[in-house]
């Protein structure tokens, strides 16, 4: 039985990855921060099948101890301060978690389990103000937020440790991936949650920022499969993971409101306070390398993803009525 250690197991990606690995027969150990509350909503159905251990990306000793004690075959570093808007109001904290946290995890692996295989969650936000379209593994980074800058650091420190210490360490440059487990602060979930409330008469308008931003949106449950496949390769390498299709925030609104037979124009209002200080206008992946080397292609299409998220939010509010 292989052992996988997941940081960020209570997040969207962590929960789907834990499900995937359990189905493959792994022993799954999840790193959680000690808290007076237990925010395990996304893994509530898994808590009796995974091991949860306490550690913190800000504390090197706790990370090294966990890696030493669990001796994982695979380490998936998914934990981060991952909300772009928050990175503008908390840029230093974002750097500590999202950038230096990667170094601490790599150090823990280097010292306590150097034969393990390491996955770093890189991000399409690293491309930022894109210099070519679509974006592929060779596309230069031009981040446009503290979050994007921190992710660039995490990406390159992973490359550096791989080349300097001969570690099996890879980065998956994942484009936007959503699900019913997406945090409510993210624009896609903000939209589908509002659609459900508007349909049920609990809300009357939705305020959003830039409706013309275009993104490559896929399903998180598909993307964790790509993470796992990267760690099964003979040699470590980095991969762009996305659908290769792009849609605007406006397109997402059309699809989400349309799923409940509503016209988004009657409810959506633009609000300048939701605009970013430096906007990222267009992100779209070239996933050819992942298709050829990993045999990975996304299964859930855009319209199905949006409908899935709206249906889940509707069901949630109907249960509460």
């Amino acid at each position: 039985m292989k052992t996988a250690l997941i940081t960020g197991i209570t997040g969207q990606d962590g929960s789907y990855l834990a499900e995937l690995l359990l189905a493959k027969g792994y022993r799954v150990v999840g790193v959680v921060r000690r808290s007076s509350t237990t925010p395990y909503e996304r893994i509530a159905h898994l808590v009796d099948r995974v091991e949860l251990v306490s550690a913190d990306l800000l504390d090197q000793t706790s990370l090294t101890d966990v890696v030493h004690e669990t001796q994982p075959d695979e380490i998936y570093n998914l934990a981060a301060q991952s909300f772009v808007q928050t990175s503008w109001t908390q840029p230093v904290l974002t750097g500590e978690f999202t950038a230096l946290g990667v170094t601490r995890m790599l150090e823990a692996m280097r010292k306590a389990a150097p034969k393990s295989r390491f996955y770093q969650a890189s991000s399409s936000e690293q491309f930022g103000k894109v210099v070519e379209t679509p974006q592929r593994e060779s596309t230069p980074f031009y981040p446009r937020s503290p979050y994007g800058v921190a992710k660039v650091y995490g990406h390159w420190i992973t490359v550096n440790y791989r080349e300097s210490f001969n570690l099996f360490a890879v980065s998956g440059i994942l484009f936007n991936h959503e699900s019913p487990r997406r945090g409510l602060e993210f624009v896609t979930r903000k939209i589908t949650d509002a659609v459900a409330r508007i349909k049920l008469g609990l809300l009357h308008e939705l305020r959003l920022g830039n409706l013309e931003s275009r993104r490559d949106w896929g399903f998180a449950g598909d993307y964790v499969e790509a993470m796992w496949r990267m760690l099964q390769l003979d040699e470590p390498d980095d991969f762009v993971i996305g659908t290769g299709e792009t849609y605007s925030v406006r397109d997402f609104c059309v699809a989400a409101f349309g799923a409940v037979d509503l016209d988004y124009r009657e409810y959506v209002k633009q609000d300048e306070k939701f605009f970013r200080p430096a906007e990222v206008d267009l992100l779209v992946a070239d996933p050819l390398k992942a298709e050829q080397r990993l045999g990975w292609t996304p299964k859930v299409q855009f319209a199905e993803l949006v409908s899935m998220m709206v249906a889940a939010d509707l069901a949630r509010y109907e249960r509460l009525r």
Side-chain angles (χ1 to χ4, degrees), residues 154-176:
H155 181 91
W156 281 117
I157 200 69
T158 301
V159 172
N160 194 264
Y161 268 66
R162 176 170 74 215
E163 296 178 350
S164 300
F165 302 115
N166 197 32
L167 300 179
F168 194 107
V170 307
S171 288
I173 308 172
L174 270 57
F175 281 64
N176 294 64

Side-chain angles (χ1 to χ4, degrees), residues 210-222:
N210 184 4
L211 297 180
E212 308 313 323
S213 289
R214 301 185 69 85
R215 294 291 185 271
D216 183 328
W217 276 305
F219 173 50
D222 288 342

Side-chain angles (χ1 to χ4, degrees), residues 84-85 87-89 144-146 272-280:
V84 173
Q85 200 69 33
S87 79
W88 289 105
T89 56
R144 296 273 279 173
S145 67
E272 287 188 3
K273 79 176 183 180
F274 294 115
F275 280 73
R276 295 183 184 184
E279 189 57 72
V280 174

Side-chain angles (χ1 to χ4, degrees), residues 139-214:
T139 302
F141 299 137
Y142 194 148
R144 296 273 279 173
S145 67
Y147 170 76
V149 172
K151 278 294 187 182
V152 168
Y153 176 98
H155 181 91
W156 281 117
I157 200 69
T158 301
V159 172
N160 194 264
Y161 268 66
R162 176 170 74 215
E163 296 178 350
S164 300
F165 302 115
N166 197 32
L167 300 179
F168 194 107
V170 307
S171 288
I173 308 172
L174 270 57
F175 281 64
N176 294 64
H177 46 291
E178 318 297 321
S179 77
R181 301 178 194 173
R182 190 57 141 156
L184 285 166
E185 68 272 23
F186 291 87
V187 67
T188 51
R189 185 72 193 290
K190 180 179 177 180
I191 292 168
T192 61
D193 178 79
V195 166
R197 286 191 287 160
I198 288 170
K199 182 64 175 179
L200 296 173
L202 304 173
L203 187 71
H204 303 292
E205 72 171 21
L206 169 61
R207 304 188 81 82
L208 296 172
N210 184 4
L211 297 180
E212 308 313 323
S213 289
R214 301 185 69 85

Side-chain angles (χ1 to χ4, degrees), residues 231-271:
L231 293 193
Q232 313 315 308
L233 293 172
D234 292 332
E235 298 293 333
D237 203 353
D238 305 323
F239 292 87
V240 160
I241 303 297
T243 70
E245 298 179 353
T246 181
Y247 295 89
S248 67
V249 175
R250 190 183 301 278
D251 293 332
F252 200 101
C253 287
V254 171
F257 279 90
V260 292
D261 299 317
L262 295 176
D263 185 342
Y264 85 97
R265 291 172 294 186
E266 296 180 20
Y267 305 98
V268 173
K269 312 294 181 190
Q270 280 195 287
D271 188 331

